[in-house]
Amino acid sequence: MTALKFLARRVAATAATLFAVAVVLFAASEVLPGDAATASLDPDATLEDVARERAALGLDRPWPVRFAEWAFAALRLDLGTSAVSRQPVVEIVAEPLGATALLVGVTAAVTVPLAMAVGLISGLRRGGRADRALSAFSVVAVSIPQFVTAGLLVLVFADLVPVLPAISLPPLGGTPLDRPEVLVLPVAALTLFGASWAGRIVRAAVIDADGMPHVEAARLAGLPERVVVFRHLLPAALPPCAHTFAWLLSGLFGGTAVVEIVFNYPGLSQTLVAAVRKHDTAVLEGVGLLLAAIILVSFVLADLLVMAVDPRLRAAAR
């Protein structure tokens, strides 16, 4: 299979999966109690008012017709219009998406090198004190729910030793980069889990790579340990690590909800909570489809990265 055919198959599978997600999102919004018409009207609105609003919003048409219109509009990056605020969904989610992407990006920039360092130290010194200590810490960090970790961080660094803000609100009209300190605790809460989880998988990959014949041959040839590690061991350990970090990236986009809510961070989770509270199905569908697309694309990029760093896959793709 050539690399082009592999990419074509992955893109086709991604498109099919995204279509299935769109169907599920739209169908789920149909069975939820209430709709955009009732949410956009006052509580004392009459049945005639609701019927007129449903007709104005096109909600009186069959749902397959409305789904087809929504799906074709989404292909043009048009996610619909909020029935509550009357704004395009793309405009509503643009700023929160940027804030969540910033949080995910900073967390990934910290987590990936930290997980690689933890995995390398544990894998190269397996059974030693450092390995046992890091393994024990990783198990504890992964076992504790993120909302508990976030609460403990607030207790320690915002209450007992008040050096960081407990609420991660940027300045009015600004972004989190205008007050970088608001990112510290959310990033720390996400990194503790992410680095511990990914570090365990990196450790296993390092142990497997350390036993490969070419790595042992490099050591027997008298090469310095750093040369053995960076030129022979790491390239062999990178392919499984690439998929791990892709899972991590997708998990960060899908799993920032708890941390954003605990720290009142102005990301997509706040937008989703507001949409649920207001029964704003257009925003719910738009955000869900957007997150699914980001997650699926991250897996395609991970597959391409694995192919790029694994010479065996490159040879098979020729």
Side-chain angles (χ1 to χ4, degrees):
M1 181 190 301
T2 64
L4 188 59
K5 287 183 178 179
F6 171 80
L7 180 59
R9 287 184 60 179
R10 292 295 287 116
V11 170
T14 299
T17 304
L18 195 58
F19 177 77
V21 170
V23 172
V24 171
L25 284 172
F26 200 89
S29 67
E30 288 295 304
V31 300
L32 289 175
D35 58 17
T38 56
S40 61
L41 296 173
D42 293 331
D44 57 351
T46 64
L47 294 178
E48 291 77 10
D49 294 333
V50 174
R52 281 195 299 269
E53 185 67 12
R54 286 180 59 84
L57 295 174
L59 298 177
D60 56 340
R61 295 174 300 162
W63 78 265
V65 175
R66 290 185 285 111
F67 171 76
E69 291 180 353
W70 176 70
F72 281 113
L75 291 175
R76 305 190 303 270
L77 302 182
D78 179 6
L79 299 177
T81 302
S82 167
V84 178
S85 65
R86 306 297 180 178
Q87 289 180 278
V89 174
V90 172
E91 293 181 6
I92 294 174
V93 303
E95 187 174 346
L97 176 62
T100 295
L102 175 64
L103 178 60
V104 170
V106 174
T107 301
V110 176
T111 301
V112 171
L114 184 58
M116 289 298 298
V118 169
L120 273 174
I121 293 172
S122 296
L124 295 175
R125 301 180 182 180
R126 52 190 177 276
R129 292 182 179 178
D131 180 33
R132 292 197 297 269
L134 289 172
S135 297
F137 180 83
S138 298
V139 170
V140 172
V142 171
S143 302
I144 298 176
Q146 282 190 323
F147 71 89
V148 176
T149 301
L152 290 174
L153 289 173
V154 170
L155 177 64
V156 174
F157 295 105
D159 189 13
L160 298 178
V161 185
V163 294
L164 293 170
I167 303 299
S168 297
L169 286 177
L172 187 63
T175 68
L177 288 177
D178 296 325
R179 288 185 64 203
E181 63 271 17
V182 304
L183 290 167
V184 176
L185 290 183
V187 168
L190 292 170
T191 299
L192 280 172
F193 176 85
S196 300
W197 173 76
R200 298 293 297 169
I201 300 177
V202 172
R203 176 184 181 273
V206 168
I207 291 174
D208 288 341
D210 196 32
M212 291 183 175
H214 72 282
V215 176
E216 295 179 356
R219 284 202 176 95
L220 291 175
L223 295 178
E225 183 64 16
R226 60 183 177 81
V227 175
V228 173
V229 170
F230 288 101
R231 290 190 182 179
H232 300 279
L233 189 148
L234 271 182
L238 279 180
C241 294
H243 267 129
T244 298
F245 293 131
W247 277 99
L248 177 66
L249 181 63
S250 63
L252 287 174
F253 267 105
T256 57
V258 172
V259 171
E260 288 184 353
I261 291 173
V262 168
F263 293 104
N264 202 23
Y265 184 81
L268 281 176
S269 299
Q270 301 292 344
T271 305
L272 277 175
V273 170
V276 171
R277 187 168 55 246
K278 298 174 183 177
H279 297 280
D280 199 342
T281 54
V283 176
L284 279 172
E285 293 164 356
V287 173
L289 190 64
L290 186 62
L291 287 175
I294 291 172
I295 292 170
L296 290 171
V297 168
S298 71
F299 285 124
V300 174
L301 294 177
D303 287 338
L304 294 177
L305 177 61
V306 171
M307 180 174 287
V309 300
D310 193 336
R312 295 169 299 180
L313 292 180
R314 290 201 304 271
R318 291 193 182 100

